[in-house]
Amino acid sequence: MAENNIDNREVRQAFVEYDRNVTVSNFKVACVLGMMLMPAGYILDKAMYPLMAWNFFKLRCLCSLLIAFFLSILLTPFGRENYRFLGVTLFMLPASFIAWMIYATTGAQSPYYAGLNLVLLMLAFVLHWTFWESLTASGLVTALYIAACLFHGNITHDDKANLVNNLYFLSLTAIIVVTGSYFHSKSRFNEFALRFELDRNKQALEESNQKLKELDQVKSRFFANISHELRTPL
């Protein structure tokens, strides 16, 4: 039992470092996508809200710069040590900017709520967070959307219908993302534990093989010496 606990602890410690490297690598990809896709939304702004498009474009560029700034921190030793917290911060940057645009336009009737769904999809398909991180991030995104709609004010009957509709699909997306994160994290750990055990067994076999070779060499030298002594006259 004690040996199994030691083994599990060893696997989990190794997995933490492995997960850190994979997560930081995923963050880099997510940051590059965020820096490119946020300004690209100007096309949508120009079509939907032409009078506000230029101001939104400046906000989008600011968001990209902030993402680049946090990415530069993430690449430092401090960032690698606190990659979980910084990852959530990076994730909330585009979500916060999109929520503000929802507030600044038509609230619950704003089509920008779809952008929050895209943020959640980024979480699911690029970041591959743990269950609790995905649950926290999904809850924060939903709270941002509700706050943006409520603070916009003047909620009419149509606004309430749109709010319920959008929250329904946003919640479904969040449930799918969180559920997927749970099973993906579990399978990723099990896969890592299996590979870790295989690598350890392979190393043990190589060490045993090396010892057998050394013993074989010692045996060969011993018999060579005996044979030499027997052939040498007194």
Side-chain angles (χ1 to χ4, degrees):
M1 181 67 69
E3 185 178 353
N4 289 335
N5 290 335
I6 294 174
D7 290 344
N8 290 335
R9 196 181 314 123
E10 185 180 358
V11 172
R12 292 189 179 280
Q13 288 174 350
F15 179 77
V16 167
E17 188 58 32
Y18 163 79
D19 184 64
R20 185 195 310 278
N21 293 330
V22 172
T23 303
V24 170
S25 178
N26 291 341
F27 282 153
K28 294 176 185 177
V29 176
C31 287
V32 172
L33 286 175
M35 287 186 289
M36 292 190 302
L37 295 180
M38 281 300 291
Y42 175 74
I43 299 172
L44 176 64
D45 300 334
K46 193 68 175 176
M48 299 300 301
Y49 303 101
L51 297 179
M52 308 177 73
W54 178 242
N55 288 332
F56 282 174
F57 179 71
K58 290 187 286 186
L59 285 174
R60 290 176 179 276
C61 290
L62 175 60
C63 181
S64 294
L65 289 175
L66 289 175
I67 292 174
F69 172 72
F70 275 94
L71 175 60
S72 65
I73 297 177
L74 186 65
L75 298 178
T76 63
F78 171 81
R80 289 186 61 84
E81 184 67 25
N82 300 277
Y83 70 104
R84 292 294 186 192
F85 172 76
L86 289 176
V88 175
T89 305
L90 283 168
F91 172 81
M92 293 307 296
L93 279 174
S96 298
F97 275 82
I98 293 172
W100 189 91
M101 288 189 286
I102 292 172
Y103 158 78
T105 53
T106 53
Q109 297 186 26
S110 175
Y112 287 143
Y113 104 93
L116 297 178
N117 281 298
L118 293 178
V119 172
L120 290 176
L121 290 178
M122 176 80 75
L123 166 61
F125 293 105
V126 179
L127 294 177
H128 296 304
W129 278 355
T130 64
F131 168 78
W132 289 110
E133 289 170 332
S134 299
L135 182 63
T136 301
S138 299
L140 289 173
V141 167
T142 304
L144 280 174
Y145 178 70
I146 295 173
C149 294
L150 293 179
F151 281 105
H152 177 75
N154 299 324
I155 299 180
T156 64
H157 177 74
D158 291 337
D159 290 335
K160 291 180 180 179
N162 281 315
L163 180 61
V164 172
N165 177 79
N166 295 345
L167 275 176
Y168 173 77
F169 286 105
L170 195 62
S171 299
L172 285 184
T173 304
I175 290 172
I176 293 171
V177 167
V178 172
T179 304
S181 295
Y182 172 77
F183 287 104
H184 179 268
S185 297
K186 191 174 181 179
S187 64
R188 189 172 64 164
F189 175 78
N190 291 336
E191 180 184 353
F192 175 83
L194 178 61
R195 284 191 283 109
F196 182 85
E197 188 66 25
L198 289 174
D199 290 340
R200 188 164 56 178
N201 291 339
K202 180 181 177 182
Q203 184 179 0
L205 287 173
E206 289 176 349
E207 291 176 355
S208 298
N209 187 45
Q210 183 62 31
K211 290 179 180 179
L212 288 174
K213 288 181 179 179
E214 292 174 357
L215 287 174
D216 186 63
Q217 290 173 357
V218 171
K219 183 180 69 174
S220 297
R221 286 196 299 268
F222 173 76
F223 283 111
N225 291 335
I226 293 295
S227 177
H228 176 74
E229 292 296 332
L230 291 175
R231 290 196 305 267
T232 302
L234 295 175

